[in-house]
PDB file of all heavy atoms in Angstrom:
ATOM      1  N   ALA A 190       7.137   6.133  30.345  1.00  0.00           N
ATOM      2  CA  ALA A 190       7.892   6.368  29.119  1.00  0.00           C
ATOM      3  C   ALA A 190       7.553   5.445  27.959  1.00  0.00           C
ATOM      4  O   ALA A 190       7.450   5.813  26.780  1.00  0.00           O
ATOM      5  CB  ALA A 190       9.433   6.320  29.401  1.00  0.00           C
ATOM      6  N   ALA A 191       7.335   4.114  28.362  1.00  0.00           N
ATOM      7  CA  ALA A 191       6.927   3.165  27.345  1.00  0.00           C
ATOM      8  C   ALA A 191       5.543   3.479  26.784  1.00  0.00           C
ATOM      9  O   ALA A 191       5.320   3.318  25.552  1.00  0.00           O
ATOM     10  CB  ALA A 191       6.888   1.782  27.919  1.00  0.00           C
ATOM     11  N   ALA A 192       4.653   3.957  27.639  1.00  0.00           N
ATOM     12  CA  ALA A 192       3.298   4.337  27.132  1.00  0.00           C
ATOM     13  C   ALA A 192       3.421   5.461  26.113  1.00  0.00           C
ATOM     14  O   ALA A 192       2.783   5.459  25.102  1.00  0.00           O
ATOM     15  CB  ALA A 192       2.436   4.723  28.410  1.00  0.00           C
ATOM     16  N   GLN A 193       4.194   6.446  26.505  1.00  0.00           N
ATOM     17  CA  GLN A 193       4.402   7.604  25.585  1.00  0.00           C
ATOM     18  C   GLN A 193       4.994   7.274  24.296  1.00  0.00           C
ATOM     19  O   GLN A 193       4.529   7.624  23.194  1.00  0.00           O
ATOM     20  CB  GLN A 193       5.292   8.671  26.305  1.00  0.00           C
ATOM     21  CG  GLN A 193       5.474   9.913  25.539  1.00  0.00           C
ATOM     22  CD  GLN A 193       6.170  11.003  26.346  1.00  0.00           C
ATOM     23  OE1 GLN A 193       5.710  11.386  27.424  1.00  0.00           O
ATOM     24  NE2 GLN A 193       7.251  11.516  25.867  1.00  0.00           N
ATOM     25  N   ALA A 194       6.034   6.388  24.320  1.00  0.00           N
ATOM     26  CA  ALA A 194       6.747   5.953  23.089  1.00  0.00           C
ATOM     27  C   ALA A 194       5.741   5.176  22.169  1.00  0.00           C
ATOM     28  O   ALA A 194       5.739   5.290  21.004  1.00  0.00           O
ATOM     29  CB  ALA A 194       7.896   5.123  23.370  1.00  0.00           C
ATOM     30  N   THR A 195       4.973   4.276  22.844  1.00  0.00           N
ATOM     31  CA  THR A 195       3.993   3.501  22.110  1.00  0.00           C
ATOM     32  C   THR A 195       2.938   4.380  21.438  1.00  0.00           C
ATOM     33  O   THR A 195       2.566   4.108  20.185  1.00  0.00           O
ATOM     34  CB  THR A 195       3.325   2.451  23.008  1.00  0.00           C
ATOM     35  OG1 THR A 195       4.316   1.603  23.667  1.00  0.00           O
ATOM     36  CG2 THR A 195       2.325   1.593  22.277  1.00  0.00           C
ATOM     37  N   VAL A 196       2.379   5.308  22.107  1.00  0.00           N
ATOM     38  CA  VAL A 196       1.333   6.219  21.555  1.00  0.00           C
ATOM     39  C   VAL A 196       1.956   6.984  20.397  1.00  0.00           C
ATOM     40  O   VAL A 196       1.378   7.151  19.343  1.00  0.00           O
ATOM     41  CB  VAL A 196       0.741   7.117  22.585  1.00  0.00           C
ATOM     42  CG1 VAL A 196      -0.083   8.197  21.981  1.00  0.00           C
ATOM     43  CG2 VAL A 196      -0.062   6.299  23.616  1.00  0.00           C
ATOM     44  N   GLU A 197       3.118   7.488  20.601  1.00  0.00           N
ATOM     45  CA  GLU A 197       3.759   8.216  19.495  1.00  0.00           C
ATOM     46  C   GLU A 197       3.961   7.364  18.236  1.00  0.00           C
ATOM     47  O   GLU A 197       3.754   7.812  17.122  1.00  0.00           O
ATOM     48  CB  GLU A 197       5.124   8.825  19.958  1.00  0.00           C
ATOM     49  CG  GLU A 197       5.025   9.897  21.006  1.00  0.00           C
ATOM     50  CD  GLU A 197       6.419  10.315  21.581  1.00  0.00           C
ATOM     51  OE1 GLU A 197       7.375   9.732  21.193  1.00  0.00           O
ATOM     52  OE2 GLU A 197       6.405  11.252  22.366  1.00  0.00           O
ATOM     53  N   ALA A 198       4.405   6.109  18.423  1.00  0.00           N
ATOM     54  CA  ALA A 198       4.728   5.265  17.370  1.00  0.00           C
ATOM     55  C   ALA A 198       3.378   4.847  16.623  1.00  0.00           C
ATOM     56  O   ALA A 198       3.331   4.811  15.401  1.00  0.00           O
ATOM     57  CB  ALA A 198       5.401   4.036  17.801  1.00  0.00           C
ATOM     58  N   LEU A 199       2.348   4.659  17.442  1.00  0.00           N
ATOM     59  CA  LEU A 199       1.063   4.336  16.818  1.00  0.00           C
ATOM     60  C   LEU A 199       0.451   5.491  16.022  1.00  0.00           C
ATOM     61  O   LEU A 199      -0.064   5.353  14.898  1.00  0.00           O
ATOM     62  CB  LEU A 199       0.024   3.941  17.854  1.00  0.00           C
ATOM     63  CG  LEU A 199       0.005   2.417  18.210  1.00  0.00           C
ATOM     64  CD1 LEU A 199      -0.824   2.167  19.465  1.00  0.00           C
ATOM     65  CD2 LEU A 199      -0.640   1.658  17.013  1.00  0.00           C
ATOM     66  N   ASP A 200       0.545   6.672  16.581  1.00  0.00           N
ATOM     67  CA  ASP A 200       0.105   7.893  15.845  1.00  0.00           C
ATOM     68  C   ASP A 200       0.795   8.081  14.525  1.00  0.00           C
ATOM     69  O   ASP A 200       0.251   8.373  13.528  1.00  0.00           O
ATOM     70  CB  ASP A 200       0.283   9.107  16.743  1.00  0.00           C
ATOM     71  CG  ASP A 200      -0.361  10.352  16.221  1.00  0.00           C
ATOM     72  OD1 ASP A 200      -1.236  10.259  15.342  1.00  0.00           O
ATOM     73  OD2 ASP A 200       0.112  11.453  16.595  1.00  0.00           O
ATOM     74  N   ALA A 201       2.190   7.919  14.616  1.00  0.00           N
ATOM     75  CA  ALA A 201       2.934   8.073  13.419  1.00  0.00           C
ATOM     76  C   ALA A 201       2.629   7.066  12.332  1.00  0.00           C
ATOM     77  O   ALA A 201       2.463   7.356  11.121  1.00  0.00           O
ATOM     78  CB  ALA A 201       4.460   7.969  13.792  1.00  0.00           C
ATOM     79  N   ALA A 202       2.457   5.807  12.773  1.00  0.00           N
ATOM     80  CA  ALA A 202       2.081   4.701  11.834  1.00  0.00           C
ATOM     81  C   ALA A 202       0.747   4.963  11.167  1.00  0.00           C
ATOM     82  O   ALA A 202       0.493   4.788   9.991  1.00  0.00           O
ATOM     83  CB  ALA A 202       2.125   3.404  12.502  1.00  0.00           C
ATOM     84  N   ALA A 203      -0.295   5.408  11.976  1.00  0.00           N
ATOM     85  CA  ALA A 203      -1.609   5.608  11.516  1.00  0.00           C
ATOM     86  C   ALA A 203      -1.670   6.742  10.458  1.00  0.00           C
ATOM     87  O   ALA A 203      -2.273   6.731   9.454  1.00  0.00           O
ATOM     88  CB  ALA A 203      -2.515   5.981  12.705  1.00  0.00           C
ATOM     89  N   LEU A 204      -0.878   7.818  10.781  1.00  0.00           N
ATOM     90  CA  LEU A 204      -0.745   8.960   9.882  1.00  0.00           C
ATOM     91  C   LEU A 204      -0.085   8.499   8.523  1.00  0.00           C
ATOM     92  O   LEU A 204      -0.533   8.791   7.421  1.00  0.00           O
ATOM     93  CB  LEU A 204       0.040  10.095  10.466  1.00  0.00           C
ATOM     94  CG  LEU A 204      -0.655  10.917  11.522  1.00  0.00           C
ATOM     95  CD1 LEU A 204       0.243  11.885  12.273  1.00  0.00           C
ATOM     96  CD2 LEU A 204      -1.849  11.761  10.866  1.00  0.00           C
ATOM     97  N   ALA A 205       1.033   7.756   8.651  1.00  0.00           N
ATOM     98  CA  ALA A 205       1.837   7.424   7.481  1.00  0.00           C
ATOM     99  C   ALA A 205       1.000   6.504   6.584  1.00  0.00           C
ATOM    100  O   ALA A 205       1.133   6.503   5.354  1.00  0.00           O
ATOM    101  CB  ALA A 205       3.106   6.758   7.881  1.00  0.00           C
ATOM    102  N   GLN A 206       0.208   5.570   7.134  1.00  0.00           N
ATOM    103  CA  GLN A 206      -0.505   4.569   6.393  1.00  0.00           C
ATOM    104  C   GLN A 206      -1.939   4.950   6.095  1.00  0.00           C
ATOM    105  O   GLN A 206      -2.649   4.206   5.358  1.00  0.00           O
ATOM    106  CB  GLN A 206      -0.465   3.268   7.139  1.00  0.00           C
ATOM    107  CG  GLN A 206       0.957   2.754   7.337  1.00  0.00           C
ATOM    108  CD  GLN A 206       0.949   1.442   8.235  1.00  0.00           C
ATOM    109  OE1 GLN A 206       0.076   0.581   8.015  1.00  0.00           O
ATOM    110  NE2 GLN A 206       1.974   1.222   9.015  1.00  0.00           N
ATOM    111  N   GLY A 207      -2.383   6.076   6.654  1.00  0.00           N
ATOM    112  CA  GLY A 207      -3.792   6.466   6.469  1.00  0.00           C
ATOM    113  C   GLY A 207      -4.760   5.506   7.038  1.00  0.00           C
ATOM    114  O   GLY A 207      -5.810   5.184   6.516  1.00  0.00           O
ATOM    115  N   ARG A 208      -4.450   4.929   8.260  1.00  0.00           N
ATOM    116  CA  ARG A 208      -5.262   3.969   8.912  1.00  0.00           C
ATOM    117  C   ARG A 208      -5.769   4.442  10.249  1.00  0.00           C
ATOM    118  O   ARG A 208      -5.116   5.297  10.962  1.00  0.00           O
ATOM    119  CB  ARG A 208      -4.487   2.667   9.121  1.00  0.00           C
ATOM    120  CG  ARG A 208      -4.081   2.023   7.798  1.00  0.00           C
ATOM    121  CD  ARG A 208      -3.145   0.855   8.069  1.00  0.00           C
ATOM    122  NE  ARG A 208      -3.662  -0.172   8.947  1.00  0.00           N
ATOM    123  CZ  ARG A 208      -2.905  -1.243   9.315  1.00  0.00           C
ATOM    124  NH1 ARG A 208      -1.691  -1.345   8.942  1.00  0.00           N
ATOM    125  NH2 ARG A 208      -3.441  -2.184  10.099  1.00  0.00           N
ATOM    126  N   ALA A 209      -6.840   3.949  10.749  1.00  0.00           N
ATOM    127  CA  ALA A 209      -7.281   4.151  12.080  1.00  0.00           C
ATOM    128  C   ALA A 209      -6.364   3.415  13.071  1.00  0.00           C
ATOM    129  O   ALA A 209      -5.640   2.434  12.727  1.00  0.00           O
ATOM    130  CB  ALA A 209      -8.706   3.716  12.304  1.00  0.00           C
ATOM    131  N   VAL A 210      -6.382   3.837  14.358  1.00  0.00           N
ATOM    132  CA  VAL A 210      -5.599   3.164  15.420  1.00  0.00           C
ATOM    133  C   VAL A 210      -6.400   1.942  15.901  1.00  0.00           C
ATOM    134  O   VAL A 210      -7.356   2.088  16.666  1.00  0.00           O
ATOM    135  CB  VAL A 210      -5.183   4.141  16.493  1.00  0.00           C
ATOM    136  CG1 VAL A 210      -4.487   3.330  17.596  1.00  0.00           C
ATOM    137  CG2 VAL A 210      -4.403   5.246  15.980  1.00  0.00           C
ATOM    138  N   THR A 211      -6.152   0.809  15.399  1.00  0.00           N
ATOM    139  CA  THR A 211      -6.839  -0.347  15.716  1.00  0.00           C
ATOM    140  C   THR A 211      -5.897  -1.407  16.384  1.00  0.00           C
ATOM    141  O   THR A 211      -4.706  -1.211  16.531  1.00  0.00           O
ATOM    142  CB  THR A 211      -7.441  -1.076  14.425  1.00  0.00           C
ATOM    143  OG1 THR A 211      -6.317  -1.447  13.613  1.00  0.00           O
ATOM    144  CG2 THR A 211      -8.350  -0.129  13.612  1.00  0.00           C
ATOM    145  N   ARG A 212      -6.555  -2.487  16.853  1.00  0.00           N
ATOM    146  CA  ARG A 212      -5.746  -3.504  17.512  1.00  0.00           C
ATOM    147  C   ARG A 212      -4.735  -4.158  16.500  1.00  0.00           C
ATOM    148  O   ARG A 212      -3.611  -4.397  16.834  1.00  0.00           O
ATOM    149  CB  ARG A 212      -6.596  -4.627  18.049  1.00  0.00           C
ATOM    150  CG  ARG A 212      -5.849  -5.796  18.660  1.00  0.00           C
ATOM    151  CD  ARG A 212      -6.796  -6.715  19.406  1.00  0.00           C
ATOM    152  NE  ARG A 212      -6.099  -8.007  19.752  1.00  0.00           N
ATOM    153  CZ  ARG A 212      -6.606  -8.884  20.607  1.00  0.00           C
ATOM    154  NH1 ARG A 212      -7.747  -8.664  21.229  1.00  0.00           N
ATOM    155  NH2 ARG A 212      -5.921 -10.021  20.859  1.00  0.00           N
ATOM    156  N   ALA A 213      -5.157  -4.269  15.277  1.00  0.00           N
ATOM    157  CA  ALA A 213      -4.247  -4.786  14.232  1.00  0.00           C
ATOM    158  C   ALA A 213      -3.012  -3.936  14.014  1.00  0.00           C
ATOM    159  O   ALA A 213      -1.978  -4.402  13.913  1.00  0.00           O
ATOM    160  CB  ALA A 213      -5.053  -5.036  12.901  1.00  0.00           C
ATOM    161  N   LEU A 214      -3.312  -2.603  14.012  1.00  0.00           N
ATOM    162  CA  LEU A 214      -2.208  -1.678  13.761  1.00  0.00           C
ATOM    163  C   LEU A 214      -1.345  -1.723  15.034  1.00  0.00           C
ATOM    164  O   LEU A 214      -0.036  -1.651  14.920  1.00  0.00           O
ATOM    165  CB  LEU A 214      -2.703  -0.263  13.569  1.00  0.00           C
ATOM    166  CG  LEU A 214      -1.610   0.808  13.349  1.00  0.00           C
ATOM    167  CD1 LEU A 214      -0.782   0.473  12.049  1.00  0.00           C
ATOM    168  CD2 LEU A 214      -2.230   2.164  13.218  1.00  0.00           C
ATOM    169  N   ALA A 215      -1.920  -1.794  16.212  1.00  0.00           N
ATOM    170  CA  ALA A 215      -1.104  -1.860  17.433  1.00  0.00           C
ATOM    171  C   ALA A 215      -0.251  -3.066  17.443  1.00  0.00           C
ATOM    172  O   ALA A 215       0.966  -2.942  17.836  1.00  0.00           O
ATOM    173  CB  ALA A 215      -2.099  -1.885  18.671  1.00  0.00           C
ATOM    174  N   LYS A 216      -0.729  -4.200  17.027  1.00  0.00           N
ATOM    175  CA  LYS A 216       0.114  -5.440  16.923  1.00  0.00           C
ATOM    176  C   LYS A 216       1.313  -5.232  16.006  1.00  0.00           C
ATOM    177  O   LYS A 216       2.487  -5.555  16.302  1.00  0.00           O
ATOM    178  CB  LYS A 216      -0.695  -6.612  16.505  1.00  0.00           C
ATOM    179  CG  LYS A 216       0.103  -7.917  16.484  1.00  0.00           C
ATOM    180  CD  LYS A 216      -0.752  -9.101  16.017  1.00  0.00           C
ATOM    181  CE  LYS A 216       0.070 -10.385  16.098  1.00  0.00           C
ATOM    182  NZ  LYS A 216       1.394 -10.329  15.411  1.00  0.00           N
ATOM    183  N   GLU A 217       1.060  -4.572  14.902  1.00  0.00           N
ATOM    184  CA  GLU A 217       2.136  -4.342  13.861  1.00  0.00           C
ATOM    185  C   GLU A 217       3.175  -3.427  14.478  1.00  0.00           C
ATOM    186  O   GLU A 217       4.400  -3.708  14.321  1.00  0.00           O
ATOM    187  CB  GLU A 217       1.534  -3.701  12.645  1.00  0.00           C
ATOM    188  CG  GLU A 217       0.676  -4.653  11.799  1.00  0.00           C
ATOM    189  CD  GLU A 217       0.063  -3.920  10.607  1.00  0.00           C
ATOM    190  OE1 GLU A 217       0.515  -2.864  10.231  1.00  0.00           O
ATOM    191  OE2 GLU A 217      -0.958  -4.431  10.079  1.00  0.00           O
ATOM    192  N   VAL A 218       2.771  -2.388  15.167  1.00  0.00           N
ATOM    193  CA  VAL A 218       3.712  -1.430  15.750  1.00  0.00           C
ATOM    194  C   VAL A 218       4.496  -1.972  16.863  1.00  0.00           C
ATOM    195  O   VAL A 218       5.722  -1.877  16.898  1.00  0.00           O
ATOM    196  CB  VAL A 218       2.883  -0.164  16.205  1.00  0.00           C
ATOM    197  CG1 VAL A 218       3.744   0.693  17.083  1.00  0.00           C
ATOM    198  CG2 VAL A 218       2.379   0.607  15.082  1.00  0.00           C
ATOM    199  N   LEU A 219       3.854  -2.764  17.695  1.00  0.00           N
ATOM    200  CA  LEU A 219       4.592  -3.431  18.807  1.00  0.00           C
ATOM    201  C   LEU A 219       5.582  -4.438  18.323  1.00  0.00           C
ATOM    202  O   LEU A 219       6.635  -4.542  18.842  1.00  0.00           O
ATOM    203  CB  LEU A 219       3.575  -4.061  19.807  1.00  0.00           C
ATOM    204  CG  LEU A 219       2.699  -3.142  20.642  1.00  0.00           C
ATOM    205  CD1 LEU A 219       1.930  -3.987  21.655  1.00  0.00           C
ATOM    206  CD2 LEU A 219       3.539  -2.106  21.331  1.00  0.00           C
ATOM    207  N   ASP A 220       5.218  -5.148  17.239  1.00  0.00           N
ATOM    208  CA  ASP A 220       6.147  -6.119  16.630  1.00  0.00           C
ATOM    209  C   ASP A 220       7.420  -5.421  16.118  1.00  0.00           C
ATOM    210  O   ASP A 220       8.524  -5.879  16.361  1.00  0.00           O
ATOM    211  CB  ASP A 220       5.484  -6.899  15.510  1.00  0.00           C
ATOM    212  CG  ASP A 220       4.443  -7.935  16.021  1.00  0.00           C
ATOM    213  OD1 ASP A 220       4.444  -8.248  17.191  1.00  0.00           O
ATOM    214  OD2 ASP A 220       3.616  -8.395  15.166  1.00  0.00           O
ATOM    215  N   LYS A 221       7.212  -4.261  15.524  1.00  0.00           N
ATOM    216  CA  LYS A 221       8.349  -3.480  15.000  1.00  0.00           C
ATOM    217  C   LYS A 221       9.136  -2.847  16.122  1.00  0.00           C
ATOM    218  O   LYS A 221      10.342  -2.716  15.994  1.00  0.00           O
ATOM    219  CB  LYS A 221       7.835  -2.397  14.061  1.00  0.00           C
ATOM    220  CG  LYS A 221       7.314  -2.896  12.748  1.00  0.00           C
ATOM    221  CD  LYS A 221       6.829  -1.753  11.850  1.00  0.00           C
ATOM    222  CE  LYS A 221       6.311  -2.287  10.564  1.00  0.00           C
ATOM    223  NZ  LYS A 221       5.827  -1.131   9.715  1.00  0.00           N
ATOM    224  N   MET A 222       8.516  -2.534  17.235  1.00  0.00           N
ATOM    225  CA  MET A 222       9.217  -1.925  18.380  1.00  0.00           C
ATOM    226  C   MET A 222      10.039  -2.988  19.144  1.00  0.00           C
ATOM    227  O   MET A 222      10.846  -2.605  19.942  1.00  0.00           O
ATOM    228  CB  MET A 222       8.206  -1.182  19.259  1.00  0.00           C
ATOM    229  CG  MET A 222       7.585  -0.019  18.688  1.00  0.00           C
ATOM    230  SD  MET A 222       6.351   0.762  19.775  1.00  0.00           S
ATOM    231  CE  MET A 222       7.410   1.513  21.060  1.00  0.00           C
TER     232      MET A 222
END
Side-chain angles (χ1 to χ4, degrees):
Q193 183 170 303
T195 301
V196 169
E197 289 174 357
L199 269 167
D200 186 24
L204 285 169
Q206 299 177 35
R208 295 169 61 184
V210 176
T211 63
R212 176 170 168 167
L214 182 62
K216 182 180 186 305
E217 292 174 20
V218 167
L219 291 185
D220 287 345
K221 289 180 180 178
M222 293 176 71

